[in-house]
Amino acid sequence: MTEYVTDERAAGDRRARFEALAHLVTEPLHRYLLRRADPDPVDDVLADTLLVLWRRIDDVPGLGPDAVRPWCYDDVMPWCYGVARGCLANARRADRRRRSLLERLTWATRPGVEEATDPDHSALHTALAQLRALDREIVLLWAYEELPPSRIAEVTGLTANAVSIRLHRAKKKLAAQVERKTAARPGHETDEGQGNGRSSR
């Protein structure tokens, strides 16, 4: 019983620290993001930032459970700006990947495009055709209609979590199939094994 009470007290303390932090930093972070991004994605990036702050509340300067002095705005704000900057960078990378896939999907599904004109996009079109119908629909709703998983869930009747899982798996399958088809095309040069100083990831 004592252990349960201790855990409850720790959880309550953690929640109180986060709520106090969120009250202080949400508006400055919102302004920070608005100055660096289009308004549309700002709320999502801010939500991601607050989620990271919740998960890492013990890492915020002055907010750890063993903090020896009261924390203040100047202690926490630079660290929180760094988190927001990272979340914005992640959002931009995700948007670039989505736009790249959308561009390739648009090209691959244009009528009259022959395989020989663009093997890469043809490979993507072939890979799309190999997905299950529902997975293909989820990918197209995400790429063409730019719907998030919560909205795709409304269209398909799945849960948002199920959509996220299917979308993640479908994109991995697409990437793997396209890579297999395009990696070893005859006459296609690669820099594998060349001493160009770049490391593979």
Side-chain angles (χ1 to χ4, degrees):
M1 183 65 178
T2 303
E3 184 176 331
Y4 174 79
V5 172
T6 302
D7 289 344
E8 282 289 301
R9 187 177 295 119
D13 173 68
R14 177 185 179 86
R15 185 164 53 250
R17 284 184 286 138
F18 172 74
E19 289 174 354
L21 177 66
H23 178 75
L24 182 67
V25 305
T26 296
E27 187 58 34
L29 290 176
H30 190 255
R31 292 195 300 266
Y32 171 90
L33 292 169
L34 280 174
R35 286 192 288 267
R36 289 160 176 80
D38 294 330
D40 288 345
V42 160
D43 286 344
D44 288 339
V45 177
L46 179 60
D48 289 343
T49 302
L50 292 173
L51 180 59
V52 173
L53 293 180
W54 164 254
R55 289 173 174 168
R56 300 188 58 190
I57 191 69
D58 291 342
D59 296 330
V60 181
L63 274 183
D66 301 322
V68 296
R69 66 184 179 87
W71 59 277
C72 66
Y73 183 89
D74 290 339
D75 290 333
V76 302
M77 223 42 242
W79 198 89
C80 293
Y81 283 140
V83 172
R85 182 171 179 268
C87 289
L88 181 58
N90 290 339
R92 285 172 171 164
R93 282 193 292 270
D95 185 62
R96 284 196 295 270
R97 289 193 295 267
R98 185 192 60 77
R99 290 178 184 276
S100 176
L101 177 59
L102 175 59
E103 181 180 329
R104 298 180 73 182
L105 286 171
T106 302
W107 177 269
T109 54
R110 285 172 57 188
V113 175
E114 297 181 1
E115 252 188 64
T117 60
D118 197 320
D120 286 338
H121 294 134
S122 176
L124 178 60
H125 185 51
T126 300
L128 268 174
Q130 294 174 358
L131 291 177
R132 294 179 180 178
L134 181 56
D135 291 341
R136 183 166 58 252
E137 175 67 5
I138 288 171
V139 170
L140 294 177
L141 285 169
W142 170 76
Y144 279 120
E145 277 64 52
E146 303 184 17
L147 296 182
S150 59
R151 296 302 184 189
I152 296 175
E154 294 177 17
V155 176
T156 59
L158 299 170
T159 66
N161 186 55
V163 169
S164 295
I165 292 171
R166 282 178 173 268
L167 180 60
H168 176 72
R169 290 175 177 171
K171 287 191 289 185
K172 285 184 68 175
K173 287 180 182 178
L174 286 174
Q177 291 177 26
V178 169
E179 184 177 356
R180 280 198 299 270
K181 185 166 181 179
T182 60
R185 292 204 308 271
H188 187 70
E189 293 183 1
T190 82
D191 35 48
E192 182 178 356
Q194 295 179 5
N196 53 16
R198 291 183 296 180
S199 60
S200 60
R201 295 189 177 185

